[in-house]
């Protein structure tokens, strides 16, 4: 379709980090009015740390007409993602899925999730996890629409807020069977090697 022709999914490079931070903060800024000021400031700092830290196994961006408008981070364990080994998630985890507010409605979030599913399958993982809360109702609807299901045993508390876990079964999902996938551009010419190594 015309919309997906303008969309490109690629691995981030170091020079993208400021743009990624701007996209993530822009996407989450709406929650500044919901959260207490101190919680929002802590959340904002956590976003910055995740964007600039070396914890993710992959940073993936979405370009729309050559502008970065979406981003997602992929971690390989709950210890790497949240510093919470007690959750005992030893497979890939999506964090900070973000789309610039003005670029929503173009399938960008779905394309980023599909790329994470593709990579997680290539890792041989059984499930792909993510965490969210009730205040992100639109995101929850999207995850459920794409086939994510609740994984209550991996829920966690952030202060007084229940952070709910969702997961998708990578062996049974048909998410990648739809046509018109956005073009993924690897950082090098050997795309197969890049995916198998699961690196940036």
């Amino acid at each position: 379709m015309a919309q997906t022709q303008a969309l490109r999914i690629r691995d981030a490079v170091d020079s993208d980090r400021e743009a990624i931070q701007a996209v993530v903060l822009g996407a989450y800024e709406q929650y500044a009015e919901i959260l207490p000021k101190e919680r929002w400031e802590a959340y904002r700092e956590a976003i910055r740390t995740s964007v600039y830290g070396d914890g993710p196994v992959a940073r993936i961006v979405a370009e729309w007409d050559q502008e970065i408008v979406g981003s997602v981070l992929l971690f390989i364990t709950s210890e790497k993602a949240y510093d919470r080994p007690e959750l005992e998630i030893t497979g890939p985890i999506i964090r900070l899925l973000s789309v610039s507010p003005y670029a929503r409605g173009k399938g960008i979030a779905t394309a980023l999730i599909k790329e994470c599913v593709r990579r997680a399958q290539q890792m041989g993982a059984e499930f792909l996890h993510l965490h969210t809360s009730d205040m992100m109702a639109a995101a929850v609807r999207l995850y459920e629409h794409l086939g994510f299901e609740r994984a209550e045993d991996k829920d966690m508390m952030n202060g007084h807020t229940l952070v709910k876990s969702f997961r998708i079964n990578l062996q049974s999902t048909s998410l990648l069977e739809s046509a018109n996938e956005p073009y993924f551009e690897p950082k090098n010419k050997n795309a197969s090697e890049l995916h198998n190594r699961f690196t940036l």
Side-chain angles (χ1 to χ4, degrees):
M1 297 233 187
Q3 282 191 331
T4 55
Q5 288 173 359
L7 179 61
R8 183 171 60 140
I9 305 297
R10 64 170 176 82
D11 282 300
V13 295
D14 285 345
S15 59
D16 293 328
R17 292 199 181 192
E18 286 191 16
I20 293 170
Q21 180 175 259
V23 166
V24 179
L25 289 175
Y28 285 82
E29 193 76 37
Q30 60 186 305
Y31 304 115
E33 298 180 2
I34 300 173
L35 295 170
K37 183 178 180 180
E38 62 276 7
R39 283 279 310 282
W40 167 246
E41 292 299 330
Y43 196 23
R44 182 185 177 93
E45 183 57 29
I47 288 173
R48 186 186 182 283
T49 299
S50 294
V51 169
Y52 284 91
D54 58 2
V57 72
R59 292 180 175 84
I60 305 166
V61 296
E63 286 188 340
W64 185 266
D65 291 338
Q66 302 182 341
E67 177 186 359
I68 293 176
V69 295
S71 171
V72 68
L73 302 178
L74 197 59
F75 294 80
I76 56 171
T77 66
S78 56
E79 182 173 12
K80 288 287 189 181
Y82 310 115
D83 195 24
R84 295 202 182 198
E86 68 274 13
L87 289 177
E88 297 182 341
I89 300 176
T90 57
I93 300 171
I94 291 174
R95 279 206 69 197
L96 296 177
L97 175 67
S98 310
V99 177
S100 297
Y102 63 86
R104 291 172 183 170
K106 296 178 169 63
I108 293 169
T110 297
L112 287 167
I113 291 171
K114 285 184 176 182
E115 181 58 26
C116 290
V117 167
R118 181 180 292 112
R119 294 187 185 210
Q121 287 180 332
Q122 290 172 345
M123 290 177 68
E126 183 178 2
F127 295 102
L128 174 64
H129 282 82
L130 59 84
H131 287 81
T132 190
S133 64
D134 288 339
M135 73 176 179
M136 300 179 183
V140 171
R141 287 194 296 271
L142 173 63
Y143 301 143
E144 291 177 337
H145 173 73
L146 294 178
F148 282 81
E149 298 178 338
R150 286 282 282 117
E152 295 182 11
D153 59 316
K154 304 302 182 186
D155 287 355
M156 58 185 176
M157 296 299 297
N158 183 4
H160 298 293
T161 301
L162 174 64
V163 183
K164 296 180 177 179
S165 177
F166 289 79
R167 69 184 184 186
I168 191 168
N169 188 315
L170 297 169
Q171 275 71 51
S172 61
T173 181
S174 59
L175 189 57
L176 300 184
E177 294 177 7
S178 58
N180 299 317
E181 293 294 325
Y183 172 64
F184 173 78
E185 179 179 294
K187 288 198 305 185
N188 60 43
K189 295 181 180 179
N190 192 340
S192 176
E193 178 185 354
L194 176 79
H195 281 262
N196 289 339
R197 286 171 50 206
F198 205 66
T199 57
L200 274 176

